[in-house]
Structures are given as C-alpha cells and as structure tokens.
Amino acid sequence: MAGLRLGPLLRYVDWNTGDSATVWVEADRPCTAEVRCADGAGGSARTFQIAGHHYALIPVTGLTAGTTTAYEVFLDGLPVWPAVDGRFPPSTITTPAVGGPGRPTPELRITFGSCRQAAPPADRRGPHGADALDTLAARLASAPDATRPDVLLLLGDQVYADQLSRETRQWLAARRDLREAPGAQVGDYEEYTRLYYESWLDPEIRWLLSTVPSLHMFDDHDVIDDWNTSAAWLAEMRATPWWPERILSGLMTYWVYQHLGNLSHAELDRDALYASVRATPDGTDALRAFAAAADADPGCVRWSYRRDFGRSRLLMVDTRAARVLDEDDRAMLDPAERQWLRENALEGHGGYDHLLIGSSLPWLMPPLIHDAEVWNAALCRGERGPRWARIGEDLRRRSDLEHWAAFPASFAALSDLIEEVGTGPRAPATVCVLSGDVHHAYVAEPRIPSTARVFQLTCSPVHNSIHLAVKWGFRLGWSRLGRWLGRGFSRHGRTGRPPLSWRRSGGPWFGNQLMTLALAGRSARLHLDQARRRGSTTRLVTVLDRDLTAPE
C-alpha cells in the first residue's frame, strides 16, 4: 500500500480562469496520486521516479472561480490526506473571483520572506527564536475563517545545504564519514531530500503549504553559501572532487521539490524535461543530464518565471544561476535573462496596475554596503592593480559582497528598466522589488522621476538569526556616517557616484518576520509581522501597516 512521504503542497492556482490548480506530493512507492475536492473537482497523475523517490504533480481541474473547497489526497484509491489526528482544519483550494468587464479585480495578498532554517545549525549556539512561517500557520489554523494570503512567495534559502541541524548531522554521520569532504554538508540527492523532509514535515508548515499556494526561487544556501559569487570561486569549487555531485543534486532537487510547482498547466504541457521523466520508468538520467547542462551552460535553462494575478504582474528573477562571472563583463543576469526580464516587464505595459519583481537579493541596499560592493567590484577588476584584486576577491567572499551593487552594469540596467516601466501615462501604480537574504527588513525608495511609486521591499529572515556585529553593521550602513564612509570607498575605487540615489523610508527591523503586500485596484498596502514569543505563547505582531500609494 502506497504511503504519503511528503506533501501535499498546493502550488499553482490559475488566476486567469479560476478553475485549475496543481498539488505536489511525494509517495513512498510508484502509484497513482489523486486529488478529490468536496465540490466535485479533482485530478490524478501517475508518479514519476527520481533517484528512488516517487513524485506526482497533480493537475486539479473543474474548480469554480471565487470559491473555497476542501480536498483529499488518495494514493491508488486509498485516502492518505488529511492526517487522521484532526489537529488542523481541512486543506482547501481557494480560487479567485475572475474579473471581467465591469467587475473589479479581486484583492491580491502576497506574503513573502526568505531564509528559513527548520532548526538551528549544530555549530551555532542558542535557538533562532519563533519561526514566523510556523506562527502564521498556527494563527490561520486556529481561525479557519481569517483572511489568508493568496500566495506565499519564498524568496530563497528554503533549505540550507551547508548548515545542518544536529539531527541531520547525526543522520549523515550514520551514513558516511564526516571527516571526508564535503564533511557536515549534504553531498548527494538522497541527502538533499533529508533537508526537505526536515523543513516541510513540520506539522504546521505541512498544513500551511497544503492550503496556501506557494511560489519559490532559490538563493545561495539552497546550494552553498556564496554560490556563483565570482569566476575564481567557481573555478576553485569545480576543482574539488565533491562539487560536481553537490551542484547536480542541488539543481535536481530544486527542480523536483520547488521549480516544477512554479509552472502553470500550459507550461508543464510544453516542458520537454517534464514529459521525459514521466515517460520513462526512471527519470533520474534525464534529470541528471539536464542539471549537468544547466551547470555547464546556465544560458540553456531558465529558472525565472512570470505570474499574472489579474492586473498585478510578478516576475521572479534568477539572480544566482544566470550570472556572468567574467570580471571584465560581470552581470547579475546573462543577456538572454536580461532580455527576458525586459520583455516581460514591458509586455502589455499599461495593462497592469502593479509590477512586482522577485529578486532574492535586494536591488537597493544600505548605502555604505552598496558603495563597498561597487568599490570591491572595481578592485576585483584590477582597477587598483593585482595586489588589490587579490585583496578584493578575499574580501568579497568573507563579506558576501555579491548583491546587485556588486554587478554595477546590472544595477544600472535594472534601475533604468524600473524607471522606464514606472514613467509616463501607462505606468503602473507601483513597481516593487521584493527581496530577502540580508537578515533584516526595510523599505527603501529611489529618487527617480517616475509616475509610479517605486519601492525596495526587503524581508528576511523567516527563521534564522543575525550576529550582533552584522546588525550594527547594517545600522551603520543606513546612517549619515555610513554614507560618508561610502564616499571614501568610491574615491579609492575611482567608481564615481551611483546612477541614482535612494532613501530608507521604513526600518530597519530585526527578527523573524514576514511581509504581506495587499493589492486592490491601484492601491497597495504593506504589513510587516514579526514572530514573538512570550512564555509558551508565540504570536505575530504587526510592526508596520502602511499605505504605499497614499500621497506623499
């Protein structure tokens, strides 16, 4: 009898028709996975096999727009979900009320954040504090009729391949000798699956992901800290005997556990790799060949994707695998990826009210850090000679100097695109860059002559911690003293001033937190909620409630 190993995860919900969705599951053996909804909608799919694991992405059709329906999961005709303990409300699929002539676009609520460790790493003292996503799940489960997010946007570091919990490290030690590389880090596909089990089998998280759709994008820790930070870094990694298996397994598991669910039914129907792994008894070789090609030539694969939610457009951008690392031509996005972003931002310009750009790495950083990254990029290019280039490379890795500012031409190109989209009579009401990574939250606004309101909205971590010195470093980065120090970096690196200026209009906030963006018509409202523990009680506390489209 087949059992449910992981899931279900509610992934794609169609906002154009309101009649379809996808549900992802992992079973413990080959079977037919089926979703049956209380209103009669449903769907089924045969599992496909990767590295001895069995997965299905179930297309659910026949849903009714503007409704909420409970669903169950069956494997080979036997019920496996919901769990029999009855701790949580039924898992449901909620579809939007599809807009049309004379009908308002339904409100869209996007909750986002990044950097969630299911458990603190074994080599770090003390807990991370209350888990913001876990706390959100508990709040929604206790009040089934409360307003829920329409989608969860997970902006990177959903798993940490290089920082393992004590339990996972013990599991690894029973499997292989941790004195051999890669040591207490995951090394292959099977070990990666352990990270997903640890994160998504948490009862509250499992229920939440079964009932709120989620969209995902990787960041560095999904593979390794500082992934693709520079050409020198990549050359060193490729020279190690364990890296090839690590990168292939990281890309393979990301494709299975995260990327597939980002795709619509139509995109899945056109996906040659998805068709290939489903057409063979074992799709491991096909997926492995795909991952090897993606690693060798990132331009042959696109991890970025677009979602239109009524009159709001989301562009999720790959800022890790799509990089160009040649020091003389460094770019956050390769030419094809840059063109994809531009085309999708400008397509139907005037036909959407809000443009959201999901970038795991912030576009606008504390000014001191921005200037330090531009300075560092100049050193690594050799602007101050070979000795400073070596110092710059070492500093880049030690200090994580790899955000948009570390790719100056890409920073300028993104800034120009945002100004172009946000200017003129066809401009949307808002252009928002949604980011995480930096273990604090803030709101920043560029000083550009745009018609739209433009924001950098950064929210991190969901469940992690930050060293006190780093916290004070971020505070310094936003200060007047930090701006003055940044000008010193600019003079030494001969980099000049940034192509635009910006100001912090909210934060910084430190703690485990989630941002929610509520979009209705041409209005936008932002909430920031932090998870706080008092005694045995954990709750979300709203620390920001701001109308982003209110007149200044």
Side-chain angles (χ1 to χ4, degrees):
M1 182 176 69
L4 185 64
R5 179 172 281 180
L6 188 61
L9 274 74
L10 176 61
R11 297 300 311 271
Y12 175 83
V13 172
D14 195 322
W15 268 67
N16 294 318
T17 62
D19 63 358
S20 63
T22 57
V23 174
W24 180 99
V25 297
E26 180 181 350
D28 62 7
R29 66 192 65 193
C31 62
T32 296
E34 182 183 5
V35 168
R36 299 179 190 174
C37 298
D39 66 356
S44 64
R46 189 71 185 169
T47 57
F48 59 91
Q49 178 173 309
I50 303 293
H53 292 254
H54 307 279
Y55 310 96
L57 192 60
I58 307 162
V60 181
T61 57
L63 296 165
T64 302
T67 64
T68 296
T69 182
Y71 73 91
E72 298 175 288
V73 176
F74 293 75
L75 300 181
D76 283 341
L78 297 177
V80 294
W81 185 267
V84 295
D85 60 16
R87 287 180 54 192
F88 298 95
S91 298
T92 58
I93 301 174
T94 298
T95 54
V98 179
R103 297 181 62 185
T105 300
E107 181 184 66
L108 171 67
R109 295 177 61 86
I110 295 180
T111 294
F112 64 95
S114 77
C115 308
R116 179 180 180 268
Q117 287 187 321
D123 57 358
R124 188 173 299 175
R125 294 182 179 179
H128 284 332
D131 184 328
L133 203 61
D134 200 282
T135 307
L136 173 65
R139 185 174 75 177
L140 295 179
S142 66
D145 295 329
T147 302
R148 297 180 180 180
D150 293 298
V151 64
L152 291 173
L153 204 59
L154 305 180
L155 288 165
D157 296 345
Q158 279 70 259
V159 295
Y160 281 69
D162 51 352
Q163 297 177 13
L164 306 186
S165 68
R166 182 174 290 103
E167 292 75 15
T168 298
R169 184 178 288 195
Q170 290 172 349
W171 178 85
L172 276 188
R175 191 171 189 261
R176 58 177 171 83
D177 188 348
L178 298 188
R179 293 172 297 181
E180 298 179 1
Q185 300 185 29
V186 299
D188 61 22
Y189 191 97
E190 186 64 30
E191 294 174 4
Y192 257 105
T193 65
R194 174 79 181 192
L195 302 182
Y196 287 100
Y197 298 160
E198 182 176 57
S199 184
W200 292 353
L201 284 176
D202 172 290
E204 283 77 16
I205 298 300
R206 191 176 194 181
W207 174 80
L208 180 69
L209 294 178
S210 77
T211 204
V212 178
S214 57
L215 294 172
H216 303 200
M217 179 54 74
F218 48 46
D219 199 16
D220 56 343
H221 289 286
D222 292 276
V223 176
I224 192 171
D225 190 24
D226 298 337
W227 178 29
N228 281 346
T229 192
S230 68
W233 177 92
L234 184 59
E236 289 181 17
M237 296 304 295
R238 285 177 170 171
T240 64
W242 57 271
W243 175 250
E245 187 60 39
R246 170 68 160 272
I247 185 62
L248 294 189
S249 297
L251 294 176
M252 290 169 70
T253 49
Y254 176 77
W255 185 86
V256 170
Y257 286 87
Q258 299 195 59
H259 177 70
L260 265 185
N262 295 329
L263 305 182
S264 68
H265 289 194
E267 288 167 327
L268 289 169
D269 289 341
R270 297 193 299 267
D271 193 293
L273 176 60
Y274 184 53
S276 177
V277 300
R278 296 176 68 208
T280 179
D282 187 344
T284 307
D285 289 344
L287 182 54
R288 191 174 181 84
F290 166 86
D295 178 49
D297 178 15
C300 74
V301 174
R302 172 156 296 124
W303 302 105
S304 301
Y305 56 94
R306 165 180 157 181
R307 284 288 158 267
D308 287 337
F309 300 92
R311 290 182 60 85
S312 298
R313 177 169 299 173
L314 169 67
L315 302 178
M316 286 288 279
V317 183
D318 164 21
T319 58
R320 282 290 169 186
R323 294 179 175 184
V324 176
L325 299 178
D326 178 26
E327 290 296 345
D328 293 326
D329 192 30
R330 271 174 67 86
M332 183 69 85
L333 309 178
D334 65 35
E337 198 75 11
R338 185 169 64 248
Q339 185 63 24
W340 176 90
L341 177 60
R342 178 175 178 79
E343 289 176 355
N344 281 275
L346 293 174
E347 181 182 319
H349 191 207
Y352 54 82
D353 294 324
H354 305 278
L355 176 64
L356 313 176
I357 300 175
S359 167
S360 61
L361 303 177
W363 163 51
L364 302 179
M365 292 279 286
L368 171 59
I369 297 175
H370 177 97
D371 290 338
E373 293 196 356
V374 176
W375 165 76
N376 179 260
L379 296 188
C380 294
R381 280 198 310 273
E383 295 292 335
R384 301 290 299 190
R387 178 173 172 271
W388 275 106
R390 292 191 296 271
I391 293 172
E393 177 64 25
D394 180 69
L395 186 61
R396 173 157 58 191
R397 300 189 201 182
R398 291 177 182 273
S399 304
D400 292 340
L401 303 179
E402 52 164 353
H403 301 85
W404 283 90
F407 301 81
S410 297
F411 176 87
L414 179 60
S415 302
D416 289 345
L417 176 61
I418 288 172
E419 183 173 349
E420 181 179 355
V421 169
T423 302
R426 295 188 297 172
T430 67
V431 179
C432 299
V433 179
L434 314 181
S435 304
D437 180 69
V438 292
H439 289 211
H440 71 298
Y442 60 89
V443 179
E445 299 181 57
R447 296 183 176 94
I448 55 178
S450 61
T451 308
R453 297 293 302 276
V454 179
F455 298 93
Q456 168 69 65
L457 305 178
T458 303
C459 184
S460 169
V462 173
H463 189 225
N464 210 310
S465 56
I466 184 170
H467 293 293
L468 183 61
V470 177
K471 180 186 295 188
W472 282 107
F474 282 127
R475 291 191 184 277
L476 174 63
W478 286 112
S479 69
R480 290 183 178 179
L481 175 60
R483 292 179 183 273
W484 179 79
L485 292 172
R487 287 194 287 272
F489 283 124
S490 299
R491 286 192 295 271
H492 181 265
R494 303 166 183 162
T495 60
R497 301 305 301 144
L500 79 164
S501 63
W502 57 96
R503 64 184 180 93
R504 173 176 52 87
S505 61
W509 297 279
F510 297 91
N512 293 326
Q513 48 206 347
L514 291 165
M515 275 184 174
T516 297
L517 193 58
L519 307 174
R522 291 182 67 83
S523 69
R525 194 165 199 93
L526 180 68
H527 300 264
L528 175 65
D529 295 303
Q530 292 188 331
R532 296 182 182 174
R533 182 174 292 149
R534 177 174 295 178
S536 60
T537 303
T538 300
R539 62 193 182 100
L540 289 177
V541 176
T542 300
V543 298
L544 174 69
D545 181 358
R546 176 180 171 186
D547 185 350
L548 297 182
T549 47
E552 292 186 276

